[in-house]
């Protein structure tokens, strides 16, 4: 199964992707949008993108990409995040990593390295590569990325021990499933009036469907216009889900409702 995820090799996305594909079948891109585009076009069977972190919240590029492209979510992968500080030696001027990783280690960096320059790069693995090439740079990434003259200066430097990230495994739209313990929708009501959000949520509450995430993102059409991302604990095959979505479609008669699919959750512990 050909899969694509955030590179280079060694990112947390790569580790999550190993749950669905062999290493020799995994390719890399430098942005979430490029991954989703490659899957939507049929170039790859699967893509794996980060969707939400327990400390820093949702990954907005991922939310926007699954709203902009017609793809299916076929699995949710949850993996713990164990950040380490890696460098050639204890003296460095810059800490480079993905913006989410830097944010997840903010307290540690401010306490231990208040004078260091913080530089956001495309991925944790890329930051570690910079550290491997430049003694003035430290990277933040998984401790397994150490070695080859790169030392692990500190482990578990994330601000919360429970740090974990949810990833979506996406597939071409034709593989969308109605079966699974969770489902995701993207709703664009193309409207804005008092009580709109309540009306969008009531169809689920009325049918005892538990919502696990509700988030709004700008539609890009006009200021104050939003797209809503909704995750809930029920399959699209269920009659109560079909009834709730039918009500949503009535509310979004000037917009649209996209079913990303139903899926199960897999926990990857490394």
């Amino acid at each position: 199964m050909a899969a694509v995820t955030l590179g280079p090799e060694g990112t947390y996305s790569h580790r999550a992707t190993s749950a669905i594909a062999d290493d020799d079948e995994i390719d890399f891109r430098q942005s979430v949008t490029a991954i989703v585009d490659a899957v939507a076009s049929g170039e790859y069977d699967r893509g794996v993108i980060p969707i939400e972190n327990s400390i820093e919240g949702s990954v907005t590029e991922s939310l926007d990409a699954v709203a902009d492209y017609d793809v299916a979510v076929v699995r949710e992968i949850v993996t713990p995040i164990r950040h380490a500080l890696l460098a050639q030696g204890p003296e460095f001027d810059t800490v480079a990593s993905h913006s989410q990783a830097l944010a997840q280690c903010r307290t540690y960096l401010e306490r231990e390295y208040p004078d260091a320059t913080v530089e956001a790069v495309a991925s944790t693995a890329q930051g570690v590569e910079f550290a491997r090439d430049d003694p003035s740079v430290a990277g933040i990434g998984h401790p397994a990325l150490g070695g080859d003259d790169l030392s692990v200066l500190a482990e578990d430097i994330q601000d919360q021990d429970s740090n974990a990230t949810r990833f979506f495994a996406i597939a071409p739209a034709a593989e969308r499933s109605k079966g699974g313990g969770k489902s995701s929708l993207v709703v664009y009501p193309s409207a804005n009036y008092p009580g709109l959000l309540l009306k969008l949520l009531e169809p689920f509450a009325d049918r005892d469907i538990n919502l696990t995430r509700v988030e709004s993102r700008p539609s890009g059409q006009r200021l104050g216009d939003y797209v809503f991302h909704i995750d809930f604990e029920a399959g699209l095959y269920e009659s109560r889900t079909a009834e709730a979505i039918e009500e949503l479609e009535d509310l979004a008669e000037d917009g649209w409702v996209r079913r990303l699919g139903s899926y199960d959750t897999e926990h990857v512990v490394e």
Side-chain angles (χ1 to χ4, degrees):
M1 179 182 294
V4 60
T5 193
L6 286 172
E9 184 176 347
T11 61
Y12 286 99
S13 294
H14 181 200
R15 302 178 79 85
T17 308
S18 297
I20 65 169
D22 295 332
D23 277 348
D24 60 357
E25 298 176 314
I26 300 174
D27 289 335
F28 302 101
R29 294 289 187 274
Q30 293 302 308
S31 74
V32 167
T33 303
I35 293 166
V36 179
D37 178 74
V39 173
S41 68
E43 184 180 355
Y44 288 90
D45 302 312
R46 295 289 185 271
V48 173
I49 59 173
I51 202 74
E52 182 182 15
N53 176 262
S54 60
I55 297 176
E56 284 302 302
S58 295
V59 181
T60 55
E61 185 185 3
S62 296
L63 296 181
D64 294 342
V66 297
D68 290 341
Y69 289 85
D70 189 15
V71 293
V73 177
V74 295
R75 191 183 304 186
E76 178 184 74
I77 302 167
V78 179
T79 183
I81 303 299
R82 295 183 54 225
H83 286 314
L85 186 69
L86 304 103
Q88 294 184 32
E91 302 296 328
F92 51 83
D93 302 319
T94 300
V95 180
S97 194
H98 189 275
S99 58
Q100 284 258 336
L102 294 170
Q104 292 160 21
C105 302
R106 183 183 296 114
T107 301
Y108 172 85
L109 293 175
E110 290 176 349
R111 182 181 69 245
E112 300 294 334
Y113 299 97
D115 298 325
T117 299
V118 174
E119 181 179 346
V121 296
S123 67
T124 54
Q126 186 178 78
V128 173
E129 283 190 350
F130 288 163
R132 202 180 303 278
D133 294 336
D134 187 343
S136 70
V137 176
I140 292 176
H142 195 280
L145 296 176
D148 296 331
D149 300 324
L150 195 66
S151 300
V152 178
L153 301 183
E155 293 191 39
D156 294 322
I157 64 172
Q158 61 275 0
D159 293 342
Q160 300 290 335
D161 291 338
S162 59
N163 191 13
T165 295
R166 298 171 60 221
F167 295 85
F168 275 169
I170 60 172
E175 296 190 43
R176 186 174 293 116
S177 172
K178 293 185 177 181
K182 293 181 70 175
S183 300
S184 292
L185 305 174
V186 185
V187 181
Y188 176 51
S190 189
N192 186 15
Y193 53 82
L196 172 61
L197 180 58
L198 177 61
K199 288 182 178 296
L200 293 175
L201 303 183
E202 280 181 332
F204 298 97
D206 291 345
R207 293 166 178 84
D208 199 30
I209 298 174
N210 185 45
L211 302 180
T212 58
R213 183 173 62 93
V214 178
E215 186 147 355
S216 62
R217 290 288 299 152
S219 69
Q221 302 297 315
R222 54 189 178 271
L223 191 65
D225 193 47
Y226 294 96
V227 171
F228 294 90
H229 294 258
I230 301 174
D231 297 345
F232 54 90
E233 292 179 330
L236 292 175
Y237 70 92
E238 297 184 47
S239 58
R240 59 176 181 159
T241 304
E243 293 168 0
I245 293 175
E246 185 176 352
E247 286 194 32
L248 289 183
E249 290 175 327
D250 289 341
L251 291 168
E253 59 180 350
D254 295 325
W256 44 262
V257 176
R258 179 174 298 158
R259 299 158 176 81
L260 294 179
S262 297
Y263 49 86
D264 290 320
T265 301
E266 178 174 348
H267 292 266
V268 177
V269 179
E270 296 186 0

